[in-house]
């Protein structure tokens, strides 16, 4: 499934249509963002919970995105299913169930989050960053499932926006993202 926009790859082309904010990055820009995160220029730890590199964890990608592009503290906000809620609570950020470009998502939906915490029987959940919205499709950049390195994924909004812990799925960062930092990475 493809998400495409008029206006070319250098334009974020964000607009509001009927309550949902559409637009965002082109697929090539989402790939560039993931490639930058996967590069040696971005921090990582040798091991974390037995994984070779902490960068492979979904919460690590969301934490890096928030820290790097907004300057908001996103350290240690819980598992993927809790990350967006805890970020909003820490910084008093707006939340909702309509995706926007550059929102952080948390989901416990089947087909999005698989890993189960053996001590509670609950899904750990999954998190990432919405980079584009087009109608009922959402393109994200995320790490962890189903691949370890950061990558782009396209979801149906209804499939992505399910969280059995909280009433909202998205924490909105669009007004906090430093577009000059983002543009610099996307132009590499």
């Amino acid at each position: 499934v493809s998400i495409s926009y008029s206006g070319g790859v250098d334009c974020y082309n964000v607009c509001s249509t009927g309550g949902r904010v559409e637009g965002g990055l082109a697929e090539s820009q989402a790939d560039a963002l993931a490639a930058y995160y996967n590069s040696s220029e971005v921090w990582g730890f040798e091991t974390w919970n037995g994984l070779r590199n902490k960068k492979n964890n979904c919460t690590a990608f969301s934490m890096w995105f928030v820290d790097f592009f907004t300057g908001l503290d996103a350290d240690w906000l819980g598992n993927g299913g809790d990350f967006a809620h805890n970020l909003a609570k820490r910084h008093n950020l707006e939340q909702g169930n309509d995706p926007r470009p550059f929102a952080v998502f948390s989901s416990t939906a089947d087909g999005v989050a698989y890993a189960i915490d053996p001590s509670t029987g609950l899904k750990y959940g999954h998190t990432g960053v919405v980079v584009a919205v087009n109608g009922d499709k959402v393109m994200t950049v995320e790490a962890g499932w189903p691949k370890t390195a950061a990558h782009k994924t396209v979801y149906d909004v209804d499939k992505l926006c399910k969280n059995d812990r909280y009433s909202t799925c998205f924490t909105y960062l669009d007004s906090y993202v430093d577009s000059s930092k983002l543009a610099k990475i996307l132009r590499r």
Side-chain angles (χ1 to χ4, degrees), residues 138-177:
V138 176
M139 183 166 53
T140 67
V141 175
E142 58 196 59
W145 182 90
K147 304 170 187 176
T148 55
H151 56 280
K152 75 173 181 259
T153 303
V154 176
Y155 295 102
D156 290 334
V157 172
D158 292 339
K159 180 178 181 181
L160 179 63
C161 190
K162 292 188 175 152
N163 194 319
D164 57 14
R165 296 183 195 123
Y166 308 105
S167 61
T168 57
C169 300
F170 302 103
T171 294
Y172 304 125
L173 298 174
D174 43 322
S175 62
Y176 295 89
V177 171

Side-chain angles (χ1 to χ4, degrees), residues 86-110:
N86 291 341
L87 176 65
K89 187 176 176 182
R90 179 180 287 176
H91 296 289
N92 197 30
L93 301 171
E94 183 184 0
Q95 295 180 277
N97 288 319
D98 285 319
R100 293 183 194 169
F102 312 115
V104 172
F105 75 86
S106 282
S107 180
T108 58
D110 290 337

